[in-house]
Amino acid sequence: QSALTQPPSASGSPGQSVTISCTGTSSDVGAYNHVSWYQQHPGKAPKLMIYEVSERPSGVPDRFSGSKSGNTASLTVSGVQTEDEADYYCSSYAGNSVIFGGGTRLTVL
Amino acid sequence: EVQLVESGGALVKPGGSLRLSCAASGFTVSNVYMTWVRQAPGKGLEWVGRIESKTVGGRIHYAAPVRDRFTISGDNSKNTLYLQMNSLKAEDTAVYYCTTYDYGGPFYWGQGTLVTVSS
């Protein structure tokens, strides 16, 4: 399977909303609600931010939200903060495997 | 509290072997699904494989690039997950993460361990 498609970069000023897209196919993103989003700061392990398209694990700020329409999932950061500057990856269940997106670097201007 | 601690990363020559360990605490490894994910330097995340919980049969699935070279296993007595890597190639150079698996994807992550394949 091919990687999910994410824009390489996104940016926003503090307080603005930023949305990152993640496009797959009818065999992965479009077929299941098992889409997750991960945040990774330089030199650190990824951290789960969203699972099951729109669920937030305990401790994740509610400014992070997720949605899905057809074969495309989205992560929105409402009121972006400087500490949100990081790489973000989406993933999708694909039967007996997991597919990741190529990652999006979020820059807070 | 769920904790995952990987170890075993090292510099190894092409064609060599290495075994990574992932010591778990806060849960029982054999009762959950677990995965290995890797990240080559400066690159994105790549799924390596998944082992299902023993309660549903413990089946194991691998990504195509590592199938027939890598083996995932677990030790109940040590509550530890392993990744045995054989016939290593330069393109296997990466940080390897062990994760729990839930809701169709990696959930809790370890800190990772670096494997470098070079002569």
Side-chain angles (χ1 to χ4, degrees):
Chain A
Q1 296 115 330
S2 300
L4 305 176
T5 300
Q6 296 182 235
S9 63
S11 63
S13 299
Q16 287 187 330
S17 287
V18 176
T19 296
I20 299 170
S21 62
C22 170
T23 301
T25 70
S26 57
S27 297
D28 39 66
V29 174
Y32 310 99
N33 284 330
H34 298 318
V35 175
S36 300
W37 289 91
Y38 306 91
Q39 176 191 67
Q40 186 178 36
H41 286 109
K44 300 294 187 182
K47 174 187 174 184
L48 179 68
M49 304 301 283
I50 296 287
Y51 66 97
E52 289 288 87
V53 174
S54 60
E55 298 297 315
R56 273 189 314 276
S58 174
V60 172
D62 60 7
R63 64 178 181 274
F64 290 89
S65 63
S67 62
K68 190 186 85 165
S69 177
N71 297 338
T72 299
S74 298
L75 173 72
T76 298
V77 187
S78 303
V80 69
Q81 300 183 7
T82 55
E83 60 263 36
D84 300 333
E85 185 162 290
D87 293 328
Y88 290 83
Y89 295 90
C90 61
S91 76
S92 174
Y93 174 79
N96 292 326
S97 67
V98 172
I99 304 177
F100 287 99
T104 298
R105 177 150 297 176
L106 173 59
T107 301
V108 181
L109 303 171
Chain B
E1 180 193 4
V2 171
Q3 276 201 318
L4 299 166
V5 179
E6 301 94 333
S7 61
L11 171 63
V12 61
K13 288 181 168 51
S17 297
L18 200 62
R19 189 180 78 161
L20 305 182
S21 300
C22 171
S25 58
F27 69 101
T28 302
V29 166
S30 61
N31 289 346
V32 304
Y33 288 41
M34 299 286 293
T35 80
W36 287 95
V37 175
R38 68 183 180 182
Q39 185 172 34
K43 302 296 184 182
L45 302 173
E46 180 185 19
W47 179 75
V48 172
R50 182 186 83 198
I51 181 168
E52 299 177 356
S53 69
K54 290 290 192 283
T55 56
V56 296
R59 287 171 298 182
I60 306 173
H61 304 280
Y62 299 96
V66 307
R67 195 171 295 138
D68 300 327
R69 298 189 299 123
F70 289 12
T71 301
I72 297 173
S73 64
D75 184 331
N76 292 347
S77 65
K78 297 181 179 179
N79 207 31
T80 296
L81 184 73
Y82 299 104
L83 180 66
Q84 176 68 44
M85 303 184 295
N86 299 330
S87 303
L88 282 162
K89 308 174 182 179
E91 52 264 40
D92 295 319
T93 294
V95 174
Y96 284 74
Y97 297 100
C98 96
T99 88
T100 63
Y101 175 92
D102 209 347
Y103 300 102
F107 207 88
Y108 295 105
W109 295 64
Q111 87 288 349
T113 188
L114 176 63
V115 173
T116 303
V117 184
S118 174
S119 55

